[in-house]
Amino acid sequence: MGKKVKEDKKAPPEDVFDTILVESRQAATVVLMLNSPEEDVQSKACEAIYKFVNKCEENKKTLLDLNAIDPLLRLVQGEDKTVRRNACMALGVMCAHPDVRKLLRKRDDSIAAFVNLLQPEEDTVVHEFSALALSYLATEFSTKVSIFENNGIEPLVKCLSSTDPDVQKNAIEALAQMLLDYQTRGALREYDGLQPMLDLLKSEYAIIQKLSLLSLDRASQDAENRASLRELEAISHLIKFLAHPEWNDLHVMAVMVLSNLLEDVESLEQIKETGGLKRLVAIITDQPPVEEETKGGKADKKAGSRAGKKSAKGEAKKVIEEKDEQSPGGDSIIPTLPDVKMSAARAIARSARSVENRKILHEQEAEKMLIHLLSHESVDVQSAAAQALGIMCENLSSRDSIREWEGLAPLIRLLNSESGDVKESVTLALTNLTTANSTNCNEMMNLNGLDPLIQLLADSREEAVANTASVLTNLAQEEVLRIECLNRAVVSSLIDPLKTSNTNVQSKAALALAAFVCDADARTELRVSGGVEPLIVLLHSGNDEVRRNTSWAITVCGVDEPTATEICKLGGLEVLQQIQMSSTRRSPFADAALERLLDSNLSAKYALSGHLGSGNLIEDGFFDAGQLKAGTKFLSLEDFCKQEMNDKRPTLLINSKQEPSPPPRQEDNEALKADSSKTSVSGKSSRTGRETKSREEVNEPMSPTEQEAEPEHENRHKKSAPPKRLSWKTIIKKKRTKAQREREEKQKEEEIQAQLAKEAEAQAAEENKPFTTPADPALYKYMEDVMDKIQPLPTTRLQVVALAEYVAEKMGGPIAKGQVTNFSWELPLSQIKFELKSNVVPIGKIKAGIHVHRALLFKTLADRIAVGCSLTRGEYNRAWNEVMLPEEDEVAGGARYPPKPYIVDLIHEPGKLLPVNTPEAVSYQKL
């Protein structure tokens, strides 16, 4: 038995603390452990904090309140890898809380610490959580700048190539936030970050693909990045991505990136050369691309010829790669989502804003895809397709192509859609389709598109109404279409849009109205429908385009006198004068409207400007109301006739029409009716009296009722009737007579009331009788004399002289110079006013007149015999006529000189021609 050897156990050193196991259930205790000098304690404390903050958001806030951020930030920058990793994990998760991010932004070294943790030598877990922290912090713009200044873009780009999907996800998310800053877009290109983003489109994880597409969308907003993406064949990658039906929830984002890329002409050229646009159209329209099989066969042949020159191993590898590339899409077409179709249509619309892009898209027949999408059941797709067609139609060739590809019919059908967006987009497309294209306009009529268009003017969607008005303006350029629209009451339908508050609708409606009221019937319809007043209201608009188009509409409406008179009556003349005097609102359109209005209403023109040119021919209904100040309301002739007689200057009227002959004895018939009614009002006594007399002659007994109706005065005047004692039967008869009298009185009152009502109706009818201009038989006689005696004269000079002598003779004869003030003309004129009981005096009734009367009569008669002359008003009742006459001694066949202006003397030496600007002429014009 061996001897037991005693083991030698060495005691621990006296200066070393014995190991203890501490179980802590308080977060505060663990936070204190972060300040421990032992790395093992720090590591375990960080790990415990990571597990704690991962549980809920409240735990993050709890640790923030316990001031755990600063110790963790210090440990993140420590030397021990394990401590750094655990501290980074804890701090990265805590960054999800906004208060934590707010505190870290105040620490200057926080961003630099996380960027340093992205170095290649660090652990993958550290990369994951530091990228996570940066993705949270990059949501604030100030932090974006700080990350960029601390050179954080390059390490984030390198993390995109990591094998760990979590690192990829956090890095691409951080870059997606950073790309909202324009500086990052340029830095991403410098650090070759676009290729890794394209590679991430093939990731197995949808969130990584989504974040990659989001980053590409933001990066492709930079023109230089788009150029780099073209070099990397990003368009092909994206089209292949769209061919994968299993990624259909990400197709919208892919189309958004394509939309950015297709803004450049170079991108469209590239997609055109590679056939990518047709593949895109095939994917969007759910149809196989044209000539797909032929191209596929050629590709197989080329691939086979190339593969024959290589080894068997290389050939197998090539075939596998080609299969992998060509497998997406396949032979069967899987329908894409409506959102993808809508985004694709918007991408085409966005690209088509450039003239060069529109040409390329038209060459690739992009309109066919858009026309196909019009038949989709989704209203969003229909709206986007119609809007894209509208933009494509800015290209002249596209307008004809859309018609040839039968694109007008679905557009017209969509006018009846219930969606406001669809109607707005469709009307925009039709506006561009019908602009300067008469064939499309006629096709609109052939496809029965006029009725839905006119009905759309009453739609609640204001922009759709504005576009509809533009379409109708284009259609009105064709006379046949304009007549068809007028037959459908388009003028009345355009009045309501004029009353809206939308300035765009007002402007387009006014322009459409101007296109349709060039016909007399259309102007009549406008007046009858009350459309003139809204036009006058629009002249007060603060929008320049509204005022301009309204002025143009008034210019067209003011061609005929009734419409011009209506516009003046409603105050349009005053508004146009105010616009003309304004330095900011005045425009050539307003000036043209005012000029046209005055040319159609010569009475107003003469009152405001005091001048009528030789082209302004005075016709019946003209009146001279005297000089008016600018901005003064111009009254109509009817208003002047309704005024009570006063001591002011009379209104001179020109009306050569004869008085209409009265209707055949209508008053006599009315008088007979009145007499018969009076007889009926006076009661039945006369009739009863005659009947009683006749009965007495034939000895017929009267009935009791007739006896009651017999008047008492007849009984009193009967001498042969001796006084008799009344019996009880007679008393009863008298009582009955009294009751009968009451009924008769009541009947009389009713008949009187009926007669008064008839008289009131007759008076009201007389008041509502249309206004008739007072006749002037004397002026009619003047015109007959002038046409018989003066018009046949051989020369214009002789006609002028003879007409001047005639006018002077009818207006009181010559007046010696200096005796005009002594010429008695005011009293006779006042007597005429008194006789007519009116301020309006026909010019033919004036037998003693001076300059203002004679000049007006001369101009009136001269216009009737085609002698050109002007009429100008001066001061103090001065007025004169100016004529243009050739030299008196011109020889036939000799030299001809331009005619010279002369003023016609109608006062002192009637018929004398005074050369303009001579002292004698100036003296004639002034007092």
Side-chain angles (χ1 to χ4, degrees), residues 301-316 318:
K301 288 180 181 179
K302 290 180 181 178
S305 62
R306 288 194 302 269
K309 298 179 183 178
K310 297 182 181 179
S311 63
K313 184 177 179 181
E315 182 181 0
K318 180 75 176 178

Side-chain angles (χ1 to χ4, degrees), residues 419-424 456 458-466 505:
S419 171
D421 292 335
V422 173
K423 287 186 282 192
E424 180 179 344
L456 206 57
D459 195 77
S460 57
R461 187 66 174 245
E462 292 182 336
E463 290 303 321
V465 175
V505 177

Side-chain angles (χ1 to χ4, degrees), residues 143-185:
T143 312
K144 289 184 179 68
V145 177
S146 181
I147 294 174
F148 181 81
E149 291 176 349
N150 284 280
N151 301 319
I153 304 300
E154 185 177 6
L156 283 172
V157 169
K158 291 180 179 179
C159 287
L160 296 179
S161 303
S162 174
T163 56
D164 190 298
D166 292 325
V167 176
Q168 292 176 344
K169 181 260 179 186
N170 293 338
I172 191 67
E173 186 173 6
L175 285 172
Q177 294 290 346
M178 291 294 296
L179 283 168
L180 291 173
D181 180 22
Y182 75 96
Q183 291 179 320
T184 306
R185 297 170 190 169

Side-chain angles (χ1 to χ4, degrees), residues 495-514:
I495 293 175
D496 285 338
L498 293 175
K499 301 176 182 178
T500 62
S501 57
N502 189 304
T503 55
N504 188 30
V505 177
Q506 293 171 348
S507 172
K508 296 294 190 294
L511 192 59
L513 200 62

Side-chain angles (χ1 to χ4, degrees), residues 618-624 652-656 773-774 776 779 783 841-843 856-857 860 864:
I618 294 179
E619 297 180 353
D620 292 335
F622 176 88
F623 59 95
D624 176 14
L652 306 180
L653 173 64
I654 304 297
N655 185 23
S656 61
T773 307
D776 191 354
L779 181 61
M783 290 186 176
V841 176
I843 193 71
L856 177 58
L857 181 58
T860 303
R864 295 304 170 96

Side-chain angles (χ1 to χ4, degrees), residues 499-565:
K499 301 176 182 178
T500 62
S501 57
N502 189 304
T503 55
N504 188 30
V505 177
Q506 293 171 348
S507 172
K508 296 294 190 294
L511 192 59
L513 200 62
F516 282 104
V517 294
C518 53
D519 296 338
D521 294 338
R523 291 192 290 271
T524 304
E525 182 182 353
L526 179 68
R527 291 197 308 273
V528 173
S529 304
V532 177
E533 187 173 359
L535 282 176
I536 305 303
V537 173
L538 291 184
L539 286 176
H540 296 279
S541 174
N543 186 279
D544 293 340
E545 187 177 359
V546 173
R547 288 198 312 273
R548 182 168 61 248
N549 291 347
T550 304
S551 299
W552 177 242
I554 289 177
T555 304
V556 179
C557 290
V559 172
D560 55 0
E561 186 177 353
T563 310
T565 304

